[in-house]
Amino acid sequence: MRKYLTRKTEIESSFKVRADTLGEQFTTACEEASAYNEDMKKSKIAAARGAYITALKSARNLAVSMEETMFNDARDELTAVLTKAPTPAQASYLQALALLSEPTPDDIEKAVQVAKGNAIAEQVVAEMAKKVRGVIFAEPDPIDLRATLDGLDEFEQRRAESIMRYGEVDALGELNNWHDICFTPNSSCSALDALDEAIERYA
């Protein structure tokens, strides 16, 4: 399940459909204006251009607003799952383990199973494992909350920039309009992958 990747795809797909429809309408209006004399043609194209820019701005602002809500929800949910307190059983087990002067690899392996499903407990076990000779820690690394949040912040900014570039009036119909080509709804990114992985792992 990719909860936030799915939400991003839905928002982007809806925006692309709206923006592309507006672009097609603008292009059609420009083509139809060619039937008039030069002055009327310029007037009609200018009017169509203004209407396109205004409508596109509205569509862009809506998409950015929806993504802002999505990213805020993502940050809140991620923080909640990564800061959830260990269960009483997990806390008691880890406290008892910490009292051992020399935990064994077998102790760590048992602790891994006890801590599974809680980010804080897994972090404690990972730190303990570093101090025990002979332990091969094969479990996934604990997820870094700060690094994941920073990745989300950076991705949100890039997303907003992409939305605000998409559909530039002077680039409509150009094959080398890389802003359009790179703006693909189904594309993933490391930030959303890490986010969805954390939520699936700890929710």
Side-chain angles (χ1 to χ4, degrees), residues 63-156:
V64 169
S65 176
M66 292 176 70
E67 290 213 342
E68 181 180 4
T69 298
M70 178 193 74
F71 279 106
N72 285 337
D73 290 346
R75 280 186 280 266
D76 289 345
E77 186 170 3
L78 178 69
T79 300
V81 299
L82 292 189
T83 59
K84 183 171 61 177
T87 66
Q90 288 172 325
S92 296
Y93 190 93
L94 295 176
Q95 287 169 357
L97 183 61
L99 295 176
L100 298 178
S101 57
E102 294 185 14
T104 66
D106 187 53
D107 291 328
I108 296 298
E109 180 57 36
K110 291 176 182 175
V112 166
Q113 300 308 313
V114 171
K116 189 167 290 185
N118 181 270
I120 294 175
E122 287 184 8
Q123 181 66 51
V124 171
V125 175
E127 292 301 317
M128 288 182 177
K130 294 176 183 178
K131 303 172 184 176
V132 178
R133 182 176 299 176
V135 170
I136 300 176
F137 198 69
E139 294 299 311
D141 290 335
I143 294 171
D144 187 318
L145 175 59
R146 184 69 265 157
T148 307
L149 288 176
D150 288 346
L152 285 175
D153 291 345
E154 180 181 346
F155 188 53
E156 180 179 8

Side-chain angles (χ1 to χ4, degrees), residues 21-75:
T21 298
L22 291 172
E24 291 169 3
Q25 291 172 347
F26 172 62
T27 300
T28 298
C30 291
E31 291 172 351
E32 291 175 348
S34 63
Y36 295 87
N37 62 47
E38 197 62 27
D39 288 342
M40 182 62 73
K41 175 182 175 181
K42 289 180 180 179
S43 176
K44 286 185 172 293
I45 289 177
R49 182 187 182 96
Y52 172 69
I53 291 173
T54 298
L56 180 62
K57 179 180 179 180
S58 177
R60 284 171 168 172
N61 289 340
L62 176 60
V64 169
S65 176
M66 292 176 70
E67 290 213 342
E68 181 180 4
T69 298
M70 178 193 74
F71 279 106
N72 285 337
D73 290 346
R75 280 186 280 266

